[in-house]
Each structure stands twice: as C-alpha cells, then as structure tokens.
Amino acid sequence: MSETWLPVPRESGFGMENLPYGVFSPEGGDARVGVAVGEQVLDLAAVLGDAEFARPSLNAFLAGGRLRWDAVRTSVTGLLTDPGRRDAVERCLHPLGAVTMHLPFEVADYVDFYASEQHATNLGRMFRPDSAALLPNWKHLPVGYHGRAGTVVASGTPVVRPCGQRKAPAEQVPTFGPSRRLDIECEVGFVVGSGSTLGEPVPTGDFAEHVFGVCLVNDWSARDIQAWEYVPLGPFLGKSFATSVSPWVVPLAALEHARVPTPAQEDPRPLPYLREDRSWALDLRLEIELNGEIVSRPPYAAMYWSPAQMLAHLTANGASVRTGDLFASGTVSGDEPGQRGSLIEMSWGGAEPLTMANGVTRTFLEDGDTVTIRAWAPGAGGARIGFGEVTGTVEPARGASAEHG
Amino acid sequence: MSETWLPVPRESGFGMENLPYGVFSPEGGDARVGVAVGEQVLDLAAVLGDAEFARPSLNAFLAGGRLRWDAVRTSVTGLLTDPGRRDAVERCLHPLGAVTMHLPFEVADYVDFYASEQHATNLGRMFRPDSAALLPNWKHLPVGYHGRAGTVVASGTPVVRPCGQRKAPAEQVPTFGPSRRLDIECEVGFVVGSGSTLGEPVPTGDFAEHVFGVCLVNDWSARDIQAWEYVPLGPFLGKSFATSVSPWVVPLAALEHARVPTPAQEDPRPLPYLREDRSWALDLRLEIELNGEIVSRPPYAAMYWSPAQMLAHLTANGASVRTGDLFASGTVSGDEPGQRGSLIEMSWGGAEPLTMANGVTRTFLEDGDTVTIRAWAPGAGGARIGFGEVTGTVEPARGASAEHG
C-alpha cells in the first residue's frame, strides 16, 4: 500500500488500506460524501470536483458499479500519496472530531439473515428445549426475512423503548406497554451498489459486482413483543422500531486480506447455487460495549453462511436487488460464552444476569444504557481495517403510548 | 356529485365519484400523473399547469398531505363540471386505450398483513389439522410481516415462475427447481401519502391523514418454497419474486360510502390502541379471473381487521411510515367456497382441483395462465367506484436457474 503524506496514527483503523465512505457535514455545511483517512475526512466533492459526491447519500456513487468504485479508490489513493497535491488536498480535509456523520445511504430494501449457527442453536435451545436446536432447513439455506428499511437509522440516533403487545407464558391475555426485554443484535451489514435484473439470479461469483461494502448493524430487538407476534409470519414490531448502522461503509476492496473460508459445509453440502469457488466469508473481529465495558467479542469468521451465499439465495427466485439494498448477517455469535452477540444469549434468556465491573447486573437493556459495536479486520501488511462504530442509547418509552395504548 | 360535461358510460367504474390517480404515458410521451374519468385519462400536469404532476410517480403529490389531496380533487371536479372549461380540458384528455400505464408510485416499505379470519382459518386447517386453526395471537393483533418493496411491479408485468428450494414431506432433502405450487393472493393495498415521525404511533383516528388511497394487489406466492423456508422467520423467497399492483389508486375520499363496520371484535375485544370510533372497514367486492373465467368473488367487508387497525398496529412500537409505503391486507377470503382468495384454498391444498368451463383442471398456476383481479365499491347515489384491475401472466422458469441452480 502506498505511503501517504498524511499523518496516520499507527493504530488507526482508517489507514490507506481502508478508505471507507460515509456522509458528513462540516460545521455549518451541507451533508456530502467523504472518505475517512487517519483522523480526517476527505471531502470528495471538493477534492475531485465531482458533483456526484455533493449529496447527502452514497447512492449515486453506489449505483456507478465496480469500475467506478475502483476508479475513485485509485484517485483518492493517488491524491493522498502524491506530495505535489498535498496543499490542495489538505484544504479538503476536515478533522473527524469536527464533523457530523449521517446515515451513509438511503436504504432500499432491508433483509436480515440468521447466519450464525451458534446464535440459531442458542435460541433453539432456549425456545425449543425438547427438540433439535436447529430447524431442518437451517443448514440447507441461509434463513432470512425482510425488515423495515424506513427505520434504519444513523449511529447515535436515540432508541426509544418500544411499546407493544406482550404476553408471558403464564398470562392469559396480552397487555400493551413498554418492552421489558429490549435487546441488541450485533450484526454485519452488506451494502448493494449495483442492482440486478428482475428474473435473473446473482451467482455467488458475482458478489463483488453488486456489493460495494460492509458496515456494522445493531438490530435492536424487543424479545417479548417478538415472541408473541412472530407466528406464523415472522418478526415484525419486535424489530421494526429501529435498526442502527455505522456511519462508515468499508469497501470490499479493503477486505481482500480478511477473506477466509466458511466453516465446513459438508453435512449437508449446499446445493450448487450456494457454492463458492473462493468464499467471501470474512475475518471480522467484533466487540460489544455496554455502558463503557466490553461484554462480548463475537468472531464474524465463525458465521456458517458467507455474504455471497446470502446474496445468491436472496436472488435465487429471480428477486432483483437495487442500489441501497442492505442485507445483514443476523446476530454474530461464536462458540464461547464471551462471544455471544445478543443479551438474550449472554443472560441465557434472562436467567443468568451479566454482572458488570461496577457490580450492576443486566439481563436486558435498561433506559439510559448505551450500546456500541466496533469491529476491525486484518489488512495488508499487518494493517487493521477499522469499521468505526455503531452506537445508540436507550430512551424511556413515550408516555402517551405507554399509558393510553 | 356534480354533473360532468364528459360522456361517462353508465356502468363505468371511473365516474365523477371516483377520480383515481395513476401514472401514464401517452403514445410517444413521458410518463406523468393522470386521473381516470370515464374512458379517458386527464393529464394533470397539462390541465393544472403544475410540474409536480409531470413526473413518473405519484410520490411528490402523495407527500403533500390531506389538504393538498382534497384541493386537487376539488380542482379536478371543477374542471370536469364547468362547461366553460370544456375546450381547454378536452385537450388534456387521452383515451385510456391509447396510453400505457405504469407502477403508480415508488414503493418505500411494503408490509403484508394476514387480516382475513377465513383465510387464516383455511390455512390453519390445512397445515395444522390437529390443533386450533387460528394461532393464539391472531385475534389480538393484525399479524403482518415485511415484504420486498423492490419487486412490487406494475400490472401486466409478466411473472416468471420462480425457482427455489422445495422439499415435500416425504423427501429427505430439498431440491432446487421451478416452483410446483405457484399461487395467487387476492389482496387490497393501502398507499401511505403523508409520513409519520419515528417514535410516534399513528392512532386509528388519524388513518385518513396518512393514507391516501387504495389499490389492488396480487401477492404471487410459491407455496412449496414458502413451506420449506418459513420457519422460524416467516415468508421470504416464496413471496419476494413479484407482487403486482393495479395502476389506479382510488382516493379514500371516493370510499366514504363504502365504509362499513368490521365483523364483531368482541372475543377478545381489541386492546385500546386498536379500537376505532368509526371503522375504516370497506365494502369492496373483488373478483378473480383465471384465463378469462371468474373463479372467485372475495368480499373485502368480511376482513376481520380494518386498515386503520393495521396502520395503528404497524406504528404502535414507534415505527414511522413514509410516503410510498404500501401495506396490503393479506389474502381476502369469505365464508363461502366461491369467495376464497388463493388457489391453495380453492383447491384445498391441491387435493380438490378446480374444473374450468372448458373442462381443464387447475390446482396451482400453469405456465401461460393469466390472473386478473378486479374490484368495485358502492359510491354515492348508487354509483360504482371501480378499481380497474391488476393482471399478470405466468412465464416459464428461466432455463439457467432451473437447470444450473
């Protein structure tokens, strides 16, 4: 990777190997597209003189496709390594600490998968203790469903505790009120740049022609609302109140060194349309911070299904994808107790509360709790590819809904 | 209702009481917004001199809200009843038979409910013969889930038979190939015009502030794909290949005379947030035509949950709605065998084939079959409010998917 004239701290996740994209506003300025490098954000519209970046979303750029993405990456790398351009480029840099970050793209369709065998197994054990933990279809296809695109929110957006119908097993009828089992789901999201044609499946080998990059996702979940509503058509209000995404989208081009094989897929072997010549499974190291304390370190490399398999499955019936589509992995959980991606797993359904360093305990989220998810991946030459973070703080349920519902 | 100078055939569903909105292209012209009246479509951009209508979608108009919708309806009514404007207005009319109709709006989020007690009961009886037909939550809340917005298509778009994983109960493992149980779902769709704020539920009484109008929906379904994939997160590829909507959106203002009470909701009584002072249940008469023959006449008035209850439920957790959101009722089925809204019900899971007039039988759809759904509602003074139609023809599965998947 080329040397930049810009000072980049040694442990920065935003080195020259990364160059993630986001949407920022400088103080008093309009939202526009930027690339993070070191502790700065580069204003692409200003430095490239390209109006496509003077917009409050990545979508126009995303629609450009792989050749365009590669060309801009090459241009940005050139600008940041050419000492002769230093003065001109420096005028287009803003300190990360002085800008406001926004939702990086307009979400078209949002799909959520369920691709962690450990997560699906943990939930199966909790909810169906007397039968096989994994349902019969789970190893044959990446189980997924559609979520609500309109309530995907920028990192930092407060999450109001949702109200809804809840019915504990011992109760005869449901009641309406604030969720008592508000949870997180630590996930990885894949951002579609270039769309596909209705009726034409996307083979696993075309993944990088359609997917631009990767972000972090917290798919906030109200477990009590979900448990009552979800038969037979799946989760709805237990999920649709908010889904937070990180401000930076790491391009696939930065993740070449993070590619790993999936876990063995031999029993059963996937059907041909789900096979990959070289997997897009990724070695991302996630961490979940609750009120300033790391409570879990889920390993994305443990995920059973790769994102290329998810995309191939999503389109196998001829469904098309569009610019701005987001599909997320589902909760990332590893083999160890310290690698679980949701509180329902960490507290085993609420039965085993977490004890925090200050002695406070948690089963599910309390009002005022802040959850932050971070991640990094190995890059070229030992570099760290950082994903920044997605964060959110729980606000109390709104009075009107809680009382008059 | 005022008298128009325009000849409107007596049995036209597009009389002055209706005035539905759509997007059309005159021969050789760009797509724009029009209002149907009699056998004509009125070019709104031309007749009102308003550039908001010179666009290929209703969304900008929809975002204007109730006062704007009412003002335009009043203007259009005035133009069509003022003999002094006849010459000017006639120049902005195009025969319906000479224009091309398009998808009327850009779909933001698509939600599908399951609001027919008869449909849910029929499916419960078929799939869970040994237990109660309705699941415990069904009469407490309008069960619903998110569908794929990006594959909502205009009426007339061919529907390619989807491929996917299917596993019959007697088979050990799934195989990949064209669906063998391709079905329709005859539904009614509600189009959100004015959005809501994240965190603020929409009470049932605010339904008409947010919902602009009503269209027809055919939610094509691959029952075999759905049956294998849908546990535990709901339908996904069994639905996402195509959802067809009618070209005309009938404004709520045209449906005042079609409002009826819902069926009794007493056992249980809905929670307070789901109650209505005056119901938005609607007396729409649907019909399903298969290859030119009417095979069913589902009565929308039989639906258990009203669309205002659906919207209140959808937003009860604070989820916001946006301009262009579409929520559909779920399959409409009545009490009688001749009122069922899907082939899986009409043929009782394939066990009782339909015999058509020409002696041909059908369980599920064959390649080349054409399905058309129509509807009308009672209007003022005995008028018929027509919804036009939504139609589609099944094309064979694509070879590459079918053979190499």
Side-chain angles (χ1 to χ4, degrees):
Chain A
M1 186 55 62
S2 326
E3 287 280 325
T4 177
W5 44 258
L6 188 76
V8 174
R10 187 180 296 271
E11 281 304 302
S12 165
F14 293 159
M16 290 296 293
E17 304 80 5
N18 190 348
L19 303 177
Y21 289 75
V23 173
F24 76 100
S25 304
E27 206 174 333
D30 289 337
R32 64 196 69 178
V33 173
V35 162
V37 56
E39 293 171 328
Q40 312 282 323
V41 53
L42 178 62
D43 180 337
L44 285 193
V47 81
L48 297 175
D50 186 335
E52 190 169 270
F53 297 109
R55 302 183 190 190
S57 102
L58 290 174
N59 289 56
F61 170 60
L62 293 178
R66 173 59 52 199
L67 291 177
R68 166 78 170 152
W69 310 333
D70 289 346
V72 173
R73 186 171 170 86
T74 300
S75 297
V76 170
T77 302
L79 290 168
L80 291 168
T81 50
D82 179 355
R85 302 294 299 276
R86 178 169 182 161
D87 285 354
V89 174
E90 275 186 335
R91 286 192 289 272
C92 302
L93 289 169
H94 300 263
L96 273 171
V99 303
T100 303
M101 298 303 302
H102 304 282
L103 190 66
F105 56 100
E106 295 156 35
V107 182
D109 268 303
Y110 168 45
V111 166
D112 196 23
F113 284 95
Y114 191 54
S116 160
E117 181 175 359
Q118 292 85 345
H119 173 70
T121 301
N122 287 337
L123 265 62
R125 282 191 186 135
M126 274 183 256
F127 293 136
R128 298 180 303 274
D130 299 326
S131 52
L134 286 184
L135 288 166
N137 59 12
W138 199 91
K139 287 203 167 181
H140 290 278
L141 53 81
V143 170
Y145 69 104
H146 285 93
R148 190 160 187 81
T151 51
V152 174
V153 298
S155 176
T157 304
V159 173
V160 177
R161 181 180 297 274
C163 290
Q165 293 195 24
R166 314 140 308 172
K167 193 185 84 62
E171 293 168 345
Q172 282 295 311
V173 294
T175 55
F176 186 92
S179 171
R180 303 180 187 111
R181 290 163 72 92
L182 183 59
D183 199 355
I184 57 165
E185 295 202 324
C186 170
E187 306 197 12
V188 171
F190 300 90
V191 181
V192 172
S194 185
S196 69
T197 304
L198 187 66
E200 298 184 7
V202 176
T204 54
D206 285 359
F207 176 72
E209 296 303 311
H210 294 279
V211 169
F212 169 74
V214 181
C215 63
L216 302 178
V217 176
N218 186 349
D219 191 30
W220 307 87
S221 299
R223 301 295 179 190
D224 42 2
I225 296 172
Q226 184 183 347
W228 170 236
E229 75 177 354
Y230 90 108
V231 283
L233 301 182
F236 184 32
L237 301 188
K239 302 281 193 171
S240 64
F241 57 96
T243 303
S244 304
V245 298
S246 59
W248 297 107
V249 180
V250 174
L252 285 193
L255 295 172
E256 209 34 61
H257 285 76
R259 291 177 70 173
V260 290
T262 59
Q265 298 179 334
E266 294 296 339
D267 183 23
R269 196 157 173 231
L271 284 163
Y273 78 97
L274 289 171
R275 295 180 197 160
E276 288 180 275
D277 287 337
R278 184 183 163 213
S279 178
W280 270 102
L282 292 167
D283 179 19
L284 315 185
R285 326 283 173 92
L286 299 154
E287 65 178 36
I288 305 171
E289 186 184 282
L290 171 59
N291 298 333
E293 190 174 331
I294 305 291
V295 293
S296 184
R297 298 185 193 278
Y300 192 76
M303 299 298 274
Y304 192 82
W305 296 106
S306 86
Q309 292 178 311
M310 296 176 202
L311 181 63
H313 185 64
L314 196 163
T315 60
N317 66 347
S320 47
V321 292
R322 291 179 293 171
T323 298
D325 277 359
L326 170 67
F327 61 95
S329 59
T331 307
V332 183
S333 291
D335 288 321
E336 307 298 325
Q339 298 181 328
R340 293 169 178 163
S342 66
L343 286 169
I344 197 171
E345 290 169 274
M346 293 183 218
S347 72
W348 208 252
E352 302 171 9
L354 280 73
T355 302
M356 309 291 290
N358 60 3
V360 167
T361 60
R362 279 291 180 280
T363 51
F364 293 94
L365 294 172
E366 307 279 337
D367 292 345
D369 282 353
T370 296
V371 176
T372 304
I373 298 169
R374 298 188 190 88
W376 63 274
R384 280 191 169 214
I385 305 294
F387 285 72
E389 64 180 40
V390 55
T391 189
T393 297
V394 178
E395 291 191 347
R398 298 272 167 85
S401 332
E403 292 162 23
H404 304 302
Chain B
M1 187 54 61
S2 327
E3 288 278 329
T4 176
W5 44 259
L6 188 74
V8 174
R10 185 181 297 272
E11 282 303 302
S12 166
F14 293 158
M16 289 296 292
E17 305 79 5
N18 191 347
L19 303 177
Y21 291 74
V23 173
F24 75 101
S25 305
E27 206 172 333
D30 289 337
R32 64 196 71 177
V33 174
V35 162
V37 57
E39 293 171 327
Q40 310 283 322
V41 53
L42 178 61
D43 180 338
L44 287 192
V47 81
L48 297 174
D50 187 335
E52 189 168 270
F53 297 110
R55 301 183 191 193
S57 103
L58 290 174
N59 289 54
F61 170 60
L62 293 178
R66 175 57 56 199
L67 291 176
R68 166 78 170 152
W69 310 332
D70 289 347
V72 172
R73 186 170 170 86
T74 300
S75 298
V76 170
T77 302
L79 290 168
L80 291 168
T81 51
D82 179 355
R85 302 293 299 276
R86 177 168 183 161
D87 285 353
V89 174
E90 276 187 334
R91 285 192 291 273
C92 303
L93 289 169
H94 301 262
L96 273 171
V99 304
T100 304
M101 298 303 301
H102 304 283
L103 189 66
F105 56 100
E106 295 156 35
V107 183
D109 268 303
Y110 168 46
V111 166
D112 196 23
F113 284 95
Y114 190 56
S116 161
E117 181 175 0
Q118 292 84 344
H119 172 70
T121 300
N122 287 338
L123 265 60
R125 281 191 187 135
M126 273 184 255
F127 293 136
R128 298 180 301 274
D130 300 327
S131 51
L134 285 184
L135 288 165
N137 59 12
W138 198 92
K139 286 204 168 181
H140 290 278
L141 54 83
V143 170
Y145 69 104
H146 285 93
R148 189 160 189 81
T151 51
V152 174
V153 298
S155 177
T157 305
V159 174
V160 177
R161 179 180 299 274
C163 291
Q165 292 195 25
R166 314 139 309 172
K167 192 187 83 62
E171 293 170 344
Q172 282 295 311
V173 294
T175 54
F176 186 92
S179 172
R180 302 180 188 112
R181 289 163 73 93
L182 182 60
D183 199 356
I184 58 164
E185 295 203 324
C186 170
E187 307 198 12
V188 172
F190 300 89
V191 181
V192 173
S194 185
S196 68
T197 303
L198 187 66
E200 297 184 7
V202 177
T204 54
D206 285 358
F207 176 72
E209 297 302 311
H210 294 279
V211 169
F212 169 75
V214 181
C215 63
L216 302 178
V217 176
N218 187 348
D219 190 31
W220 307 87
S221 299
R223 301 295 180 190
D224 43 0
I225 296 173
Q226 183 182 348
W228 169 236
E229 74 178 357
Y230 90 107
V231 285
L233 301 182
F236 185 32
L237 300 189
K239 303 280 194 172
S240 64
F241 56 97
T243 303
S244 303
V245 299
S246 60
W248 297 107
V249 181
V250 174
L252 285 192
L255 296 172
E256 205 41 56
H257 285 74
R259 290 178 70 172
V260 290
T262 58
Q265 298 179 334
E266 295 296 339
D267 184 23
R269 195 154 173 236
L271 284 163
Y273 79 98
L274 289 172
R275 295 179 197 160
E276 288 180 274
D277 287 338
R278 183 181 165 217
S279 178
W280 270 102
L282 293 167
D283 179 19
L284 314 186
R285 326 283 173 94
L286 298 154
E287 65 179 35
I288 305 170
E289 186 184 282
L290 172 59
N291 298 334
E293 190 174 330
I294 306 290
V295 294
S296 184
R297 298 186 192 277
Y300 192 76
M303 299 298 274
Y304 192 83
W305 297 106
S306 87
Q309 293 178 310
M310 295 176 204
L311 182 62
H313 185 64
L314 196 163
T315 60
N317 65 348
S320 48
V321 291
R322 291 179 292 170
T323 299
D325 277 359
L326 170 68
F327 61 95
S329 60
T331 307
V332 184
S333 290
D335 287 323
E336 306 299 324
Q339 299 181 328
R340 293 169 178 163
S342 64
L343 287 169
I344 196 171
E345 291 170 273
M346 294 182 218
S347 71
W348 208 255
E352 302 171 11
L354 280 73
T355 302
M356 309 292 290
N358 59 2
V360 166
T361 61
R362 279 290 180 280
T363 50
F364 294 93
L365 294 172
E366 307 279 338
D367 293 344
D369 281 354
T370 296
V371 177
T372 304
I373 298 169
R374 298 187 190 86
W376 64 273
R384 279 192 172 214
I385 306 294
F387 285 72
E389 63 180 40
V390 56
T391 190
T393 298
V394 178
E395 292 191 346
R398 299 271 167 86
S401 330
E403 292 163 22
H404 305 301

